[in-house]
Amino acid sequence: MIIDRSKQQKNLLEMLQEKNEYISAPCNGNGICGKCIVRYKSGATEPTKQDREFLSEKQLEQGYRLACQSYPTEEYKVEIPELEETIEVLSQWENQRTEEILKNTAEGTAEKTENALYGICIDIGTTTLAALLVNLETEADCQTAVSVNHQRAYGSDVLSRISASNGGKKWEIQRCIRQDLQKLIRELLQKEKITEQQIQRIVIAGNTTMCHLLRGFSCETLGVAPFLPVDLSWMEGSAADFLGMKELDTKVVILPGISAFVGADIMAGIAKMNMHRSEGYHLLLDIGTNGEMVLGNCRHMYVTSTSAGPAFEGGNISCGMAGIPGVISHVFMEETGKAGFQVIGEADGENKKKQQAIGICGTGMIDLVYELRKHQMIDEHGTYSDLYFDTGYELAGKVKFTQNDIREIQMAKAAIRAGVDILVKKAGIAFDEVDDCYLAGGFGTKIDITKAAGIGLIPKELEVKTIPVGNTVLAGTKEVLLGRISKDELEKIQTMADVINLAEENDFEEMYLSYMDF
């Protein structure tokens, strides 16, 4: 795109955001992630210290710069990479090993009837978005649509987006998510070849921050103690009010949340897994930047969230990336210490070209740390041997895993594991009394459970009880869409949930520090 001569002292990232041009900026423009890379076709600014830290001399000569560090003063032409548009997004839920738990009361068929009525389920994730079109008569899943959440331009985690919203960008961020959701809905209609008039209901779930940003609520009290949301209730309105779609005469429901950092997405997961109807204890984990978790049964539930940081989603990792083609998703190691790996989008067959590795995502990091420890290339404290301490471990080409990267993974897994232990302690039970551990989301579906338990992310006692359950947000919203889960049931879950503030737990810090080790 071409941008005219700048009259304001703004960096390129801010200027692109104002023009609704998406560019990934996980650190919200602080110059520490190196992700907001653009290429100047003309009028390139002088390279900064941060540019030289993240980009090679050849890249700098070719006009590549970090948008957040570039302050244009004359007319220029810039190219915006669209690599993350191909990010993997999970739009299905798993039923292997869990047929009885996940059994639908009425399995739909894929048959399409003329003038059929439909509903849409929407999962607003911090990183990704997913939408599901459901035939309300047959109860069949008809079409799915997925996308990157372009709010990533305002930071990779909820705290960055809260800060951006409070810094005067609330309406920009709302416009951004509305545009994303409008695009997904139109994609579903186009795929199924139906009209807006055939959509009867839309059910939405996301974490509390995502729901606040969608509704245009103030985040002033959401990001500071005592972390007070504006509204956690069941919200019901029109598509015009909630999504800015006047052409869609449809009722929209946003599911209720539980706390500032345990939102409607976890509520949907609880509902789908029938935790609120179960006699036995079940643990639901959504491992991400904001590690949300719930332990409970039909009588009581304990919920919490832990600030794991963006490491598992590629943030603060030198070669870390989200799940896009070319990223290493699984790692195995031979006795010689030579690593092999699997790359997302890698072609099979003798006549097909292998995908070149360009980075590593969360599942690959867990595998790699497990293998490094197993082969004694790092010690129990996560410290590299002398051979790799300064340079890191090279996986492929420029894809390396540094000492600092290991520390980031240690902090993320320690926070999540300590949170799990606190919930079990609060419930007054032992790990062997937990019937199942559900791993929600795309990350949980692709994770190697044995290796996750091997580095201490998942308790060893729960390794054989851990079940990847896929996108429980879409599955849970579908239960509400079809009337299998009522508003009253969700509100009951709200009242029976005991929210645990980990910062107030005396032994959390001790647990956290102990789980830094492997």
Side-chain angles (χ1 to χ4, degrees):
M1 66 177 297
I2 299 176
I3 298 181
D4 294 333
R5 188 180 305 272
S6 173
K7 296 180 181 180
Q8 299 176 326
Q9 288 299 311
K10 294 182 178 180
N11 63 46
L12 179 59
L13 177 62
E14 293 172 315
M15 295 166 66
L16 292 173
Q17 289 173 342
E18 289 179 354
K19 292 180 177 290
N20 296 325
E21 293 288 346
Y22 169 71
I23 181 169
S24 181
C27 72
N28 195 26
N30 290 316
I32 58 175
C33 72
K35 306 294 186 185
C36 61
I37 299 174
V38 298
R39 184 181 184 185
Y40 279 92
K41 308 296 286 188
S42 63
T45 57
E46 286 296 315
T48 65
K49 179 182 177 181
Q50 285 89 343
D51 287 328
R52 297 187 184 282
E53 181 178 347
F54 290 102
L55 301 167
S56 67
E57 285 299 322
K58 183 177 180 180
Q59 287 176 308
L60 294 174
E61 291 173 5
Q62 293 173 337
Y64 288 97
R65 300 289 188 272
L66 299 181
C68 70
Q69 300 299 305
S70 183
Y71 289 81
T73 57
E74 59 184 52
E75 187 176 288
Y76 62 92
K77 183 176 181 181
V78 66
E79 180 180 80
I80 305 171
E82 297 184 355
L83 185 61
E84 287 202 348
E85 291 297 332
T86 56
I87 190 172
E88 281 197 340
V89 185
L90 186 68
S91 59
Q92 298 176 337
W93 54 278
E94 298 292 310
N95 61 5
Q96 296 179 357
R97 297 174 58 196
T98 59
E99 291 182 1
E100 291 304 314
I101 300 170
L102 302 176
K103 186 177 181 182
N104 285 321
T105 57
E107 293 293 343
T109 65
E111 295 180 4
K112 181 180 178 182
T113 58
E114 189 176 357
N115 298 321
L117 299 179
Y118 296 83
I120 296 175
C121 304
I122 295 177
D123 168 18
I124 304 180
T126 307
T127 304
T128 57
L129 307 171
L132 170 68
L133 182 70
V134 178
N135 185 310
L136 295 177
E137 180 182 349
T138 65
E139 302 186 355
D141 298 350
C142 299
Q143 302 289 344
T144 59
V146 298
S147 168
V148 168
N149 185 336
H150 288 96
Q151 291 177 335
R152 282 174 61 84
Y154 301 91
S156 65
D157 57 81
V158 294
L159 293 178
S160 295
R161 293 184 206 172
I162 288 172
S163 176
S165 176
N166 294 339
K169 297 181 178 179
K170 179 175 69 174
W171 302 117
E172 290 179 35
I173 296 174
Q174 183 194 50
R175 183 174 63 246
C176 178
I177 187 60
R178 281 186 170 192
Q179 288 175 342
D180 279 347
L181 297 185
Q182 291 168 13
K183 183 178 179 181
L184 287 183
I185 291 170
R186 293 184 180 116
E187 182 180 338
L188 292 176
L189 298 181
Q190 184 177 16
K191 283 182 175 180
E192 190 68 5
K193 295 180 173 59
I194 60 175
T195 67
E196 290 91 346
Q197 289 71 35
Q198 290 175 264
I199 304 299
Q200 296 296 295
R201 294 190 294 276
I202 297 175
V203 181
I204 298 173
N207 66 49
T208 303
T209 300
M210 295 303 103
C211 293
H212 272 52
L213 295 175
L214 174 64
R215 294 289 289 117
F217 291 158
S218 170
C219 293
E220 292 289 344
T221 60
L222 196 59
V224 294
F227 308 107
L228 300 175
V230 171
D231 194 346
L232 291 172
S233 67
W234 169 288
M235 288 180 272
E236 195 170 310
S238 68
D241 288 340
F242 283 15
L243 302 171
M245 298 185 74
K246 296 180 180 179
E247 72 276 21
L248 202 59
D249 185 18
T250 302
K251 181 175 73 174
V252 179
V253 168
I254 299 177
L255 297 192
I258 299 175
S259 73
F261 295 105
V262 181
D265 49 356
I266 293 300
M267 181 71 81
I270 293 171
K272 180 57 200 175
M273 304 313 298
N274 283 317
M275 294 175 66
H276 62 299
R277 300 170 177 170
S278 173
E279 287 291 333
Y281 277 97
H282 300 276
L283 176 66
L284 174 66
L285 293 179
D286 188 350
I287 300 174
T289 302
N290 182 40
E292 298 167 309
M293 57 194 76
V294 53
L295 173 69
N297 53 28
C298 61
R299 292 176 296 278
H300 200 83
M301 292 189 184
Y302 299 89
V303 302
T304 193
S305 63
T306 179
S307 183
F312 289 135
E313 295 178 351
N316 296 343
I317 303 294
S318 57
C319 294
M321 301 183 76
I324 62 176
V327 169
I328 296 171
S329 59
H330 288 290
V331 177
F332 55 89
M333 197 171 289
E334 301 171 359
E335 292 300 326
T336 59
K338 176 66 175 178
F341 51 83
Q342 179 181 338
V343 171
I344 295 174
E346 189 172 62
D348 296 322
E350 295 179 3
N351 298 323
K352 295 183 179 180
K353 186 178 180 181
K354 285 180 70 65
Q355 179 80 43
Q356 184 177 2
I358 59 173
I360 185 168
C361 66
T363 53
M365 296 176 209
I366 289 175
D367 286 3
L368 178 56
V369 171
Y370 171 85
E371 296 290 355
L372 291 172
R373 179 68 188 117
K374 178 182 177 182
H375 290 83
Q376 299 182 354
M377 299 162 79
I378 60 174
D379 62 20
E380 70 274 17
H381 304 303
T383 304
Y384 268 124
S385 62
D386 292 343
L387 183 61
Y388 305 106
F389 186 82
D390 292 327
T391 61
Y393 183 86
E394 181 177 320
L395 278 161
K398 294 184 179 180
V399 182
K400 293 184 178 182
F401 204 68
T402 67
Q403 182 64 69
N404 185 65
D405 295 338
I406 293 176
R407 297 294 182 232
E408 291 289 335
I409 294 298
Q410 284 177 281
M411 289 188 289
K413 74 103 176 179
I416 290 169
R417 177 58 192 279
V420 170
D421 279 23
I422 291 289
L423 290 189
V424 172
K425 179 182 176 182
K426 284 289 183 180
I429 63 174
F431 280 114
D432 59 10
E433 295 178 75
V434 178
D435 292 340
D436 295 293
C437 174
Y438 305 130
L439 285 184
F443 183 77
T445 299
K446 297 180 180 299
I447 198 172
D448 186 314
I449 295 171
T450 298
K451 292 181 178 180
I455 69 169
L457 177 62
I458 297 171
K460 268 290 185 183
E461 299 92 333
L462 297 182
E463 180 179 346
V464 297
K465 300 179 181 180
T466 298
I467 306 168
V469 291
N471 194 323
T472 55
V473 180
L474 285 184
T477 52
K478 181 180 177 181
E479 295 296 293
V480 176
L481 179 74
L482 297 177
R484 297 174 187 160
I485 299 290
S486 68
K487 174 184 176 183
D488 289 343
E489 282 185 278
L490 297 180
E491 290 177 343
K492 181 180 178 181
I493 293 172
Q494 282 184 304
T495 62
M496 65 190 291
D498 187 1
V499 180
I500 308 301
N501 185 345
L502 296 178
E504 296 177 353
E505 297 299 316
N506 294 330
D507 49 356
F508 174 75
E509 184 175 357
E510 183 180 348
M511 288 182 179
Y512 171 82
L513 292 175
S514 69
Y515 287 127
M516 285 286 287
D517 286 345
F518 296 112

